[in-house]
Amino acid sequence: MAEQRRDARGDRGGREGAQVARERHAPDVRGAEERAWDELVATARRTVADGLVVGTSGNVSVRVGDTVLVTPTGVPYDRLTPGDIVGVDLDGRQVRGSLLPTSELPMHLTVYRSSDARAVVHTHAPHATAVSTLVPELPLIHYMAGDLGGPVRVAPYATYGTPELAENMRQALTHRTACLLQNHGTIAHGSSLGQAYDRTAQLEWMCRVWLTASSVPGLSPSLLTREQVEEAGERLKGYGQRG
């Protein structure tokens, strides 16, 4: 009997210890999510400032553990506050905040389920959207396509916010970190919000270059080969400062 009581106390102590550990860990998780939310809001506002979205179009997300923080639907980014944090789990169940998440949540969750991405940026960038209506793949106008994994594909059109669009995007992103969405815009992912945003901006710039070069009467822009882009992509893996 005494041994049973000791076992019961041991079990209770173990459960209480685990609860204490969870309670101590919770503030750390909350703090990380709040810091990530601040960066997410800043990134969303930057998409507006840089002309990549208009009004409440486009959306941004970042993954913290198993929680995906995402911009809410229909709320101008300049009105977002620290208290407006919105978070869902990887199945789309809301776990943080009261504002509804973006209608494009299926695309964001599909990226996280099918890659090691930690951040996603979706925009309605004008030059990229224009290109998405013209070609099935962005012509190889610049070697920076190699930094996105190769020729940038255009995902076939589907109604926004639908599983069909998310699936079309998933296929277009195979071995890529960005793609165009036909008659819609762009989506890019990365290991951080900064990287996802930079890839978005790079894609918009390449689309602008191709449109500009293609608009000269009587001339066609020279294009790179896939091999040249692949070679550039390998070199870009070692680009920048180390450490």
Side-chain angles (χ1 to χ4, degrees):
M1 183 66 70
E3 189 65 35
Q4 290 176 347
R5 283 197 297 270
R6 283 196 297 272
D7 289 346
R9 285 196 300 270
D11 290 344
R12 186 170 62 252
R15 289 194 297 271
E16 291 173 351
Q19 179 63 28
V20 169
R22 284 194 295 271
E23 290 175 353
R24 288 175 177 171
H25 182 61
D28 293 337
V29 173
R30 289 290 170 127
E33 290 178 353
E34 288 164 3
R35 290 190 295 274
W37 176 255
D38 289 343
E39 186 180 2
L40 180 149
V41 171
T43 301
R45 289 173 177 169
R46 187 178 176 190
T47 64
V48 177
D50 290 352
L52 300 178
V53 304
V54 176
T56 60
S57 65
N59 27 79
V60 179
S61 69
V62 62
R63 180 174 176 176
V64 182
D66 290 330
T67 298
V68 175
L69 305 180
V70 63
T71 48
T73 185
V75 180
Y77 300 143
D78 61 357
R79 297 182 191 173
L80 291 176
T81 69
D84 291 327
I85 189 170
V86 176
V88 301
D89 64 19
L90 293 173
D91 292 321
R93 291 184 292 264
Q94 189 154 354
V95 296
R96 292 294 305 271
S98 58
L99 294 176
L100 295 176
T102 172
S103 58
E104 295 290 15
L105 186 60
M107 281 205 300
H108 289 260
L109 294 180
T110 295
V111 171
Y112 292 119
R113 291 170 186 153
S114 60
S115 73
D116 59 357
R118 307 304 294 183
V120 177
V121 175
H122 164 52
T123 77
H124 293 179
H127 297 93
T129 303
V131 169
S132 79
T133 70
L134 298 171
V135 292
E137 182 179 277
L138 174 64
L140 294 175
I141 193 71
H142 198 275
Y143 66 80
M144 283 301 292
D147 192 46
L148 303 179
V152 178
R153 307 182 186 103
V154 179
Y157 180 80
T159 304
Y160 79 93
T162 61
E164 182 183 3
L165 175 59
E167 175 58 19
N168 291 349
M169 173 215 66
R170 186 192 65 78
Q171 293 184 33
L173 281 176
T174 302
H175 304 304
R176 301 289 185 272
T177 56
C179 74
L180 300 174
L181 307 170
Q182 189 178 47
N183 294 83
H184 188 155
T186 71
I187 194 160
H189 65 77
S191 60
S192 66
L193 281 164
Q195 186 177 61
Y197 182 87
D198 288 345
R199 286 170 171 167
T200 300
Q202 189 69 59
L203 177 55
E204 168 67 355
W205 178 83
M206 286 192 293
C207 288
R208 183 178 181 182
V209 169
W210 181 73
L211 287 172
T212 301
S214 299
S215 68
V216 179
L219 296 175
S220 296
S222 63
L223 300 175
L224 301 175
T225 65
R226 289 176 179 263
E227 291 73 21
Q228 288 172 323
V229 169
E230 289 174 3
E231 181 181 0
E234 287 300 315
R235 289 181 63 84
L236 285 167
K237 291 178 181 178
Y239 179 78
Q241 300 298 315
R242 294 176 175 81

